[in-house]
Amino acid sequence: MSYKGKFRVWRGEGGEGRLEDFTVEVNEGEVVLDVIHRLQATQAPDLAVRWNCKAGKCGSCSMEINGKPRLGCMTRMSTFTEDETITVTPMRTFPVIKDLVTDVSYNYQKAREIPSFTPPKDVKPGEYRMQQIDVERSQEFRKCIECFMCNNVCHVIRDHEENKTHFAGPRFLMRIAELDMHPYDVADRKDSAQEDHGLGYCNITKCCTEVCPEHIKITDNALIPMKERVVDRKYDPLVWLGNKIFRR
Ligand code: SF4
Ligand code: F3S
Ligand code: FES
């Protein structure tokens, strides 16, 4: 079963662009990325779209479909009605390179700002012994495919470009939480989450969790527990006393 689908696709580069209308063949079982590829093959050979695995695992094909961040390769055409116009636009939080391809280097910059796993000096690789419960706690976060849709949708940077310098976004606050939960990590993650990476800007709107294609409970399992640990430290009477004595 095929039909003619109506698409409205954002085209442009260099800060300029517009939505263009297309009518494209859609076949049974296809996803949005299939139709974008047919559009390239038949009507718009210079249309830019980033993709790689077509299996929901590389995180490359993030785009906004009818205003919602989605993976193009995992969004089935059968979720739309045949007479619906499907609007496809690039992720809004990152600068557009061309058409549907955005410059996501903000995210890589934030990744670089987080010190890597820091084990105690006297423990050598191969000597780490972890409880199964500690392994399982962070397992969920390791499913991240770095599609950056959570960072794209978080209002702290989506609506405030100026916050990008001091807010790591949910993806990397989750990374800090993961490291902080690691029993062998000795770096100070709590102060740096709050002071260097903007954990306090997160007001738990949970939009990040809603769009995650890996269904990671970013807010409930990473950000809120991290906030709780930061607060615990701040109001821990021993830490408070230590700060009074040593910071005078
Ligand atoms: Fe994508 Fe989820 Fe990873 Fe965010 S946490 S980058 S939404 S896979
Ligand atoms: Fe942003 Fe997620 Fe917090 S969307 S405000 S990081 S809960
Ligand atoms: Fe890899 Fe869509 S092409 S996640």
Side-chain angles (χ1 to χ4, degrees), residues 33 51-61 71-74 145:
L33 187 64
W51 67 284
N52 207 312
C53 68
K54 213 174 162 280
K57 285 295 157 217
C58 72
S60 306
C61 65
L71 295 178
C73 74
M74 296 304 284
I145 58 170

Side-chain angles (χ1 to χ4, degrees), residues 144-150 171 174 211-214 216 218:
C144 175
I145 58 170
E146 302 218 316
C147 65
F148 303 128
M149 294 202 293
C150 55
R171 195 283 167 252
M174 178 177 89
V211 300
C212 178
E214 287 293 319
I216 304 171
I218 308 168

Side-chain angles (χ1 to χ4, degrees), residues 2-114:
S2 305
Y3 65 92
K4 298 285 180 204
K6 287 179 281 191
F7 277 75
R8 188 163 287 164
V9 182
W10 202 92
R11 307 291 315 272
E13 61 187 308
E16 311 239 317
R18 74 230 151 260
L19 288 164
E20 280 182 19
D21 289 325
F22 298 94
T23 303
V24 201
E25 182 187 314
V26 179
N27 299 311
E28 197 169 350
E30 287 184 336
V31 294
V32 169
L33 187 64
D34 290 319
V35 184
I36 301 275
H37 284 161
R38 183 167 300 114
L39 188 55
Q40 272 183 327
T42 57
Q43 302 176 50
D46 62 337
L47 173 66
V49 58
R50 186 187 281 131
W51 67 284
N52 207 312
C53 68
K54 213 174 162 280
K57 285 295 157 217
C58 72
S60 306
C61 65
S62 307
M63 52 184 76
E64 296 193 7
I65 300 173
N66 288 350
K68 287 202 179 132
R70 310 283 294 260
L71 295 178
C73 74
M74 296 304 284
T75 306
R76 292 191 172 279
M77 287 302 300
S78 58
T79 54
F80 308 104
T81 58
E82 292 187 8
D83 57 357
E84 195 173 343
T85 299
I86 299 166
T87 303
V88 187
T89 49
M91 285 195 285
R92 205 184 85 191
T93 301
F94 312 120
V96 172
I97 297 174
K98 185 175 188 305
D99 304 333
L100 302 176
V101 176
T102 52
D103 176 357
V104 290
S105 50
Y106 155 80
N107 302 283
Y108 298 117
Q109 177 57 36
K110 293 295 155 190
R112 278 193 291 270
E113 287 170 12
I114 298 167

Side-chain angles (χ1 to χ4, degrees), residues 135-202:
V135 175
E136 281 162 10
R137 250 175 124 198
S138 60
Q139 201 82 342
E140 177 188 15
F141 311 134
R142 294 181 163 264
K143 289 192 300 178
C144 175
I145 58 170
E146 302 218 316
C147 65
F148 303 128
M149 294 202 293
C150 55
N151 281 4
N152 172 54
V153 84
C154 178
H155 69 98
V156 175
I157 45 176
R158 190 173 172 95
D159 300 331
H160 300 278
E161 180 71 26
E162 70 280 9
N163 286 341
K164 281 187 177 169
T165 51
H166 42 270
F167 183 67
R171 195 283 167 252
F172 296 107
L173 290 170
M174 178 177 89
R175 172 69 180 147
I176 296 169
E178 179 190 343
L179 288 164
D180 192 56
M181 286 175 195
H182 197 297
Y184 278 96
D185 186 82
V186 294
D188 181 11
R189 306 289 173 185
K190 295 176 187 66
D191 285 350
S192 110
Q194 194 73 2
E195 284 158 26
D196 308 327
H197 302 288
L199 180 64
Y201 282 80
C202 164

Side-chain angles (χ1 to χ4, degrees), residues 194-247:
Q194 194 73 2
E195 284 158 26
D196 308 327
H197 302 288
L199 180 64
Y201 282 80
C202 164
N203 57 349
I204 319 181
T205 58
K206 298 198 182 185
C207 308
C208 51
T209 303
E210 270 173 38
V211 300
C212 178
E214 287 293 319
H215 308 292
I216 304 171
K217 293 200 166 56
I218 308 168
T219 324
D220 285 354
N221 292 352
L223 306 187
I224 294 176
M226 190 67 198
K227 278 174 175 285
E228 285 169 352
R229 292 196 296 276
V230 167
V231 169
D232 280 352
R233 157 172 294 195
K234 200 167 171 193
Y235 296 105
D236 180 324
L238 287 178
V239 174
W240 179 83
L241 193 64
N243 284 342
K244 280 274 173 214
I245 294 168
F246 296 113
R247 287 200 182 161

